[in-house]
Amino acid sequence: MTADAGSSRGFAHDVYDAVIVGGGHNGLVAAAYLARAGRSVLVLERLGHTGGAAVSTRPFAGVDARLSRYSYLVSLLPGKIVRDLGLRFRVRRRTVSSYTPFERDGRPGGLLVGGGEDRTRESFARLTGSDREYEAWRAFYATTGRLAGRVFPTLTEPLPTRAELRARIDDEQAWRMLFEEPLGRAVEERFADDLVRGVVLTDALIGTFADAHDASLAQNRCFLYHVIGGGTGDWDVPVGGMGALT
């Protein structure tokens, strides 16, 4: 809700058990859980609508097409929260993860990841001339997929210690690759083609202002957020945009 500065006009009470500042998706989830627990809650949002980054807009005049404005895919929303709060929204699986144009030796092309295993394998072969990079790709993401299944459930559990998480993952190679060493080392060891390396590193570097070998491991943390979603690494598109989720 919104109210004029310095005025309580529009507020139901003078005192609340909890005040949530910001009506984005995190604020709304926190407010909903508190309200379900019987607490009185006030959500303060400076805009005239809730949703924060999880909103849909109609950018084309006369066209009823609702597009996500900022957040655009659902990945890190645990199913437990969906069930607890009785959320009702539909998602659709992306058939294509990425398409990266390239030109080599004057020959234009593009690396397609998605559209089925055969199409992806063929695209890798056209780029690199063999199946080696694709097989490396499959092995790498098989590792992150196993890790996703073990790490994602911890998002709604008490924060584990480093030792507890290491034991839960139970894969020393994966632990070293993602929690001990800069991700760039693992990428360079596993992939020979620079374009393939770049596609892998997109999930690590976007928004971090880090580099692949940053000692802070900020890139590793960003990468983990991108590959553990839903316990599988899948990113789903909400029907009607993120506003449908809000």
Side-chain angles (χ1 to χ4, degrees):
M1 65 187 300
T2 59
D4 296 337
S7 168
S8 61
R9 181 162 56 90
F11 293 165
H13 308 287
D14 292 329
V15 177
Y16 291 85
D17 295 323
V19 175
I20 306 296
V21 179
H25 58 283
N26 288 320
L28 294 175
V29 168
Y33 271 108
L34 286 164
R36 283 170 54 88
R39 305 298 184 183
S40 60
V41 186
L42 175 66
V43 177
L44 297 176
E45 169 57 52
R46 69 179 179 85
L47 299 177
H49 58 80
T50 57
V55 295
S56 299
T57 59
R58 293 179 171 85
F60 309 115
V63 179
D64 187 21
R66 290 167 292 172
L67 305 182
S68 299
R69 176 177 284 178
Y70 300 113
S71 295
Y72 47 93
L73 299 170
V74 178
S75 171
L76 295 177
L77 177 62
K80 182 180 188 304
I81 293 178
V82 175
R83 294 187 296 271
D84 285 351
L85 301 185
L87 304 182
R88 297 289 182 266
F89 63 99
R90 293 181 296 130
V91 296
R92 291 181 181 170
R93 184 65 40 84
R94 292 187 304 166
T95 58
V96 173
S97 295
S98 66
Y99 179 78
T100 308
F102 65 81
E103 181 175 328
R104 290 189 175 175
D105 301 323
R107 177 176 58 89
L111 178 62
L112 172 71
V113 178
E117 182 175 343
D118 290 343
R119 291 183 68 188
T120 303
R121 179 188 293 275
E122 180 184 353
S123 185
F124 270 80
R126 285 199 304 270
L127 171 69
T128 65
S130 75
D131 285 337
R132 180 202 173 281
E133 291 290 84
Y134 179 68
E135 293 302 331
W137 177 280
R138 289 188 62 195
F140 181 79
Y141 284 103
T143 297
T144 64
R146 290 190 297 271
L147 181 129
R150 297 169 188 177
V151 172
F152 188 71
T154 68
L155 296 186
T156 51
E157 297 173 359
L159 186 66
T161 66
R162 187 177 182 87
E164 288 170 343
L165 184 60
R166 187 171 190 166
R168 184 166 187 157
I169 291 173
D170 193 27
D171 184 331
E172 284 303 305
Q173 183 183 42
W175 177 265
R176 185 177 68 256
M177 178 177 77
L178 292 170
F179 293 87
E180 299 283 357
E181 301 174 349
L183 182 64
R185 182 177 302 178
V187 171
E188 289 178 355
E189 288 175 352
R190 286 161 176 77
F191 303 100
D193 189 274
D194 275 349
L195 188 143
V196 175
R197 290 174 174 177
V199 173
V200 176
L201 285 168
T202 299
D203 283 337
L205 305 184
I206 187 169
T208 64
F209 299 99
D211 64 58
H213 294 279
D214 198 309
S216 73
L217 303 189
Q219 71 279 26
N220 291 43
R221 292 193 292 274
C222 183
F223 183 79
L224 282 168
Y225 279 124
H226 281 96
V227 300
I228 66 172
T232 61
D234 290 330
W235 288 71
D236 297 327
V237 180
V239 177
M242 289 297 290
L245 172 58
T246 296

